[in-house]
Amino acid sequence: MSKTRIVTALAVIATLGSMASPVWALNRHVTIVNNTGFTMVKFYGSNTGSDNWEEDILGNDVLPSGSSVDINFDDASGYCKFDFKAVFEDGDELVRQNVNVCEVATFTYN
């Protein structure tokens, strides 16, 4: 194989490799911001392929109004779309479906 063909083949491989961004390599970190005036007492984020809300991501913690938390939504499923459910101290629940965590860096509750 000639040197020119080898260089051309390597260039094609490099180009294809840069175009093919595997879903599992995407950043799924989202900063959740609470600007509601109420403390968020529970937060759930489940991929859209799930039938339930899974566990409360905040656990024993809460998210006071005016605060934020960084959450990694990488659940090894390959999903980028997640449904969010926030529960507040007054009992209100806010649900947002199909949030693309591979494209959204910040999600704000107002």
Side-chain angles (χ1 to χ4, degrees):
M1 190 178 236
S2 73
K3 188 174 182 179
T4 304
R5 282 188 173 176
I6 293 173
V7 171
T8 302
L10 290 174
V12 169
I13 291 169
T15 301
L16 290 174
S18 67
M19 290 173 28
S21 173
V23 172
W24 59 85
L26 297 172
N27 181 354
R28 291 175 174 79
H29 287 260
V30 178
T31 300
I32 303 298
V33 180
N34 179 10
N35 284 336
T36 63
F38 296 93
T39 297
M40 185 184 298
V41 294
K42 294 182 181 187
F43 181 79
Y44 304 90
S46 298
N47 72 58
T48 57
S50 177
D51 292 333
N52 61 51
W53 284 110
E54 309 295 334
E55 71 217 32
D56 171 18
I57 294 172
L58 295 178
N60 292 327
D61 295 325
V62 296
L63 188 61
S65 185
S67 298
S68 63
V69 62
D70 182 58
I71 298 174
N72 181 1
F73 287 95
D74 189 356
D75 64 355
S77 68
Y79 279 86
C80 283
K81 293 201 176 177
F82 280 69
D83 298 333
F84 292 172
K85 178 180 172 182
V87 180
F88 296 89
E89 64 187 340
D90 64 351
D92 279 351
E93 295 182 1
L94 296 177
V95 175
R96 175 73 187 269
Q97 296 179 322
N98 293 314
V99 177
N100 190 331
V101 299
C102 295
E103 294 178 356
V104 173
T106 303
F107 187 87
T108 303
Y109 285 93
N110 291 309

